[in-house]
Amino acid sequence: MGLIKECIEDKKTDINPIWIMRQAGRYLPEFRRIRKQHPDFIRLCLNKKIVPEITLQPLKRFNFDAAIIFSDILMLPYALGQEVKFTKGLGPLLGKLNFKRIKKIKKADFIEKLKPVYKSIKVVSNDKILKKKDLFGFIGAPWTVFLYMKNRKSPKEFKKNNYIFHNKNERELFRTIIDFLKIHIKEQVNNGASIIQIFDSWAGLLNNEKNKDDLLYKPTKELVKFTKRLGVPVVCFPRGIKDYKTYCKKINPDAINIDYQVDPKKILKQIHIPVQGGLDPKILFGDKYQIKKEAIKYLEIFRDHPYIFNLGHGILPKTKVESVKYLVNLVKDFK
Ligand code: CP3
């Protein structure tokens, strides 16, 4: 069993496990070289030869305790037939929604479209570098996936509103997303993902109780239950929410990833399940002294609590490789 699973299941480890969100890609020069030769991001995610290589790149450099499959939460809209493009500087751009076509998608066609992802998971899970380490599969939470599909780009300027479904089509789409996310989780697990992480990057936009019940708590809980029944642990990352205590109570994940805006001391008092993450990714732009000070803060606070070291959001593209190396060694040497 890997250190991360041990931390989640046995609620203890002598050394803190560590991995980093978005560890594959972005800041690694060996990734950028590959990316230059493959301008179409979706096609790159479907490349069975290269995806295992990119996924394992960070583990070749650093003593991480897990790999995360190189893919994207937007592979779901892609597999549902919505066009997804990544344009430099603009982030993802999605094509027009065709509700009628989405309604007709069959399970077998969906799986067929994502088959290369599942094959890559299989290859990575069998690599000897992952012996005693975990492989994260992942999905975007229903709300975040729905928002990208509807908004067709990152919802940066999306008003913090009390979202309501505007019509029957939207309501049905939300249900369809949940159903296909289950299929996506199951295929990842069947092919060797040993933990599932649910990224709810826009959970913080939901700000009334009815909305939270319908769009955050109920659908996420359904997926957490589903994943647990498959026999693998599930980690949730509801970025930007204010009340992690209620979230954990309602959803009951195996571990919770906290974002960098929450006070870890408050979380320690409120939450009784293993915690992952927290460190502000910008700290890695600082010098060794600053990195050490902030990292030790988290390690000290969670000294007697099952804690998986990670960041409070994805690693930033300009992060230096040496800073990551320094951080990993620091976490591993912490006594
Ligand atoms: O963690 C990993 O290294 C595994 C791969 C992974 C990617 N995206 C690869 C990727 C994971 C786990 C994700 C999750 C993801 N994707 C989220 C949730 C986490 C979060 O950051 O909130 C979201 C919201 C997305 C959607 C997405 N994909 C956006 C907004 C962008 C563009 C901006 C960006 O983050 O770089 C992407 C593209 C993307 N996904 C890249 C990578 C390596 C960059 C592609 C490029 O090189 O242009």
Side-chain angles (χ1 to χ4, degrees):
M1 182 160 51
L3 261 194
I4 296 182
K5 237 178 169 172
E6 205 177 310
C7 184
I8 292 175
E9 288 180 4
D10 301 344
K11 313 263 185 291
K12 63 164 173 39
T13 44
D14 293 334
I15 298 169
N16 289 93
I18 178 170
W19 71 282
I20 284 185
M21 288 191 281
R22 303 294 199 92
Q23 66 187 24
R26 285 188 156 187
Y27 65 107
L28 284 178
E30 58 272 37
F31 167 74
R32 286 214 215 95
R33 273 197 294 277
I34 293 179
R35 180 75 173 94
K36 259 197 199 137
Q37 292 157 2
H38 298 83
D40 185 332
F41 183 70
I42 294 282
R43 272 183 66 187
L44 179 58
C45 289
L46 296 170
N47 187 320
K48 291 173 297 193
K49 275 218 175 77
I50 301 179
V51 165
E53 182 188 338
I54 297 176
T55 302
L56 294 173
Q57 277 174 348
L59 280 91
K60 291 190 173 141
R61 276 194 186 254
F62 316 111
N63 188 13
F64 283 143
D65 293 290
I68 179 159
I69 190 68
F70 183 81
S71 184
D72 200 87
I73 64 166
L74 300 180
M75 294 310 280
L76 191 106
Y78 159 78
L80 292 179
Q82 189 176 17
E83 193 193 2
V84 182
K85 275 199 303 210
F86 291 85
T87 320
K88 220 175 157 59
L90 285 177
L93 294 176
L94 285 77
K96 252 186 130 176
L97 264 175
N98 185 335
F99 292 105
K100 250 200 207 141
R101 215 172 61 206
I102 291 177
K103 263 181 225 166
K104 288 197 201 125
I105 305 264
K106 302 262 184 317
K107 178 178 172 182
D109 300 333
F110 175 89
I111 293 177
E112 190 55 37
K113 271 188 112 169
L114 294 182
K115 201 145 236 167
V117 176
Y118 307 135
K119 287 208 166 134
S120 293
I121 290 179
K122 182 145 229 158
V123 170
V124 174
S125 72
N126 287 325
D127 196 292
K128 57 183 182 315
I129 203 170
L130 279 195
K131 214 174 147 215
K132 295 208 177 157
K133 292 182 193 265
D134 284 292
L135 173 58
F136 275 84
F138 67 91
I139 57 158
W143 163 244
T144 287
V145 173
F146 174 81
L147 198 53
Y148 273 108
M149 289 181 79
K150 186 181 152 44
N151 203 50
R152 298 172 50 198
K153 58 181 187 316
S154 289
K156 283 197 182 89
E157 279 117 47
F158 198 83
K159 288 192 289 302
K160 270 204 178 202
N161 67 356
N162 300 327
Y163 193 81
I164 45 155
F165 293 120
H166 292 94
N167 50 47
K168 190 163 157 265
N169 277 338
E170 285 191 16
R171 190 180 301 279
E172 284 179 4
L173 173 64
F174 196 73
R175 186 64 240 171
T176 304
I177 290 171
I178 298 171
D179 293 340
F180 279 100
L181 284 173
K182 284 186 182 169
I183 296 167
H184 193 34
I185 291 173
K186 192 168 177 186
E187 290 301 315
Q188 294 186 73
V189 168
N190 285 349
N191 283 284
S194 61
I195 307 182
I196 292 291
Q197 178 140 328
I198 301 181
F199 289 92
D200 210 346
S201 306
W202 300 105
L205 292 180
L206 294 167
N207 61 355
N208 93 358
E209 289 314 310
K210 167 111 181 64
N211 262 213
K212 285 189 209 162
D213 267 337
D214 293 347
L215 302 170
L216 180 64
Y217 300 143
K218 279 188 195 142
T220 315
K221 186 177 176 179
E222 187 179 334
L223 293 174
V224 164
K225 260 190 168 166
F226 177 83
T227 311
K228 286 183 174 180
R229 258 189 261 126
L230 297 175
V232 300
V234 50
V235 183
C236 288
F237 180 33
R239 185 168 72 91
I241 62 162
K242 296 281 167 295
D243 186 356
Y244 274 86
K245 187 178 172 184
T246 305
Y247 181 91
C248 288
K249 214 168 85 195
K250 294 233 185 207
I251 286 173
N252 201 19
D254 292 289
I256 183 88
N257 196 112
I258 54 173
D259 68 74
Y260 58 91
Q261 284 174 318
V262 304
D263 175 1
K265 280 196 186 131
K266 194 169 135 200
I267 291 289
L268 180 69
K269 283 199 204 116
Q270 290 181 338
I271 285 175
H272 307 292
I273 58 171
V275 172
Q276 173 177 282
L279 184 77
D280 189 340
K282 288 191 283 302
I283 296 295
L284 291 174
F285 291 154
D287 58 25
K288 284 185 179 169
Y289 172 78
Q290 287 160 320
I291 296 172
K292 185 170 181 179
K293 186 166 157 254
E294 278 301 305
I296 296 281
K297 184 179 100 186
Y298 281 90
L299 290 166
E300 288 287 4
I301 290 171
F302 293 111
R303 186 182 272 285
D304 298 316
H305 190 98
Y307 183 59
I308 303 156
F309 203 97
N310 203 320
L311 305 179
H313 197 194
I315 187 165
L316 295 161
K318 293 208 169 94
T319 307
K320 287 198 195 102
V321 170
E322 303 90 80
S323 300
V324 179
K325 188 156 209 114
Y326 179 75
L327 176 71
V328 176
N329 291 338
L330 188 113
V331 171
K332 290 292 178 191
D333 291 341
F334 179 76
K335 288 270 151 56

